[in-house]
């Protein structure tokens, strides 16, 4: 079944009273990433439900993280650009 971009949602659910988070997704990219985690870490990540368009996973809520946006100065960006140019030219 072909879903629109809007329908390819992911919903993360957890509360203060439990140690487990639940992730419901219809996004194929998220499913592939979590399927890999389920295969590599079966004691931590679990596939709990699935149907033809969605999957539901559970994992410790300690694995949910929030990060501040990365800030890169103009000088750092230029240095990284020059390093990549140098590396690409050496091949």
């Amino acid at each position: 079944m072909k879903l629109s971009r809007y329908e390819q949602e992911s919903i993360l659910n957890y509360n203060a009273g439990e140690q487990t988070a639940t992730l419901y997704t219809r996004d194929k990219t998220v499913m592939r990433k979590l399927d890999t985690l389920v295969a590599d870490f079966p004691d931590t990540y679990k596939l709990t439900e699935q149907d033809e368009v969605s999957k539901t996973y559970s994992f410790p809520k300690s694995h949910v993280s929030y990060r501040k946006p990365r800030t890169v100065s103009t000088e750092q960006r230029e240095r990284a650009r020059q390093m990549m140019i140098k590396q690409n030219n050496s091949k």
Side-chain angles (χ1 to χ4, degrees):
M1 173 187 252
K2 181 83 170 147
L3 299 174
S4 70
R5 299 286 292 162
Y6 182 79
E7 293 173 317
Q8 295 177 27
E9 64 184 0
S10 294
I11 301 169
L12 179 64
N13 188 10
Y14 62 92
N15 62 55
E18 297 177 356
Q19 298 301 314
T20 304
T22 303
L23 180 74
Y24 167 86
T25 187
R26 296 173 111 185
D27 186 338
K28 298 269 188 213
T29 304
V30 175
M31 286 183 208
R32 278 192 301 272
K33 289 178 182 180
L34 283 163
D35 286 340
T36 301
L37 290 171
V38 168
D40 293 346
F41 305 100
D43 294 336
T44 305
Y45 292 89
K46 306 232 183 296
L47 174 62
T48 57
E49 293 180 39
Q50 79 179 66
D51 59 30
E52 62 273 355
V53 294
S54 69
K55 291 184 179 181
T56 303
Y57 301 89
S58 69
F59 51 90
K61 72 178 182 183
S62 61
H63 287 60
V64 176
S65 74
Y66 303 96
R67 298 179 216 152
K68 63 181 181 177
R70 182 177 166 200
T71 56
V72 180
S73 70
T74 305
E75 296 83 27
Q76 290 172 321
R77 188 180 308 275
E78 182 59 28
R79 247 182 300 158
R81 189 175 84 74
Q82 292 299 329
M83 283 189 337
M84 290 307 296
I85 289 171
K86 182 179 178 182
Q87 185 170 351
N88 287 335
N89 289 336
S90 69
K91 289 182 179 181

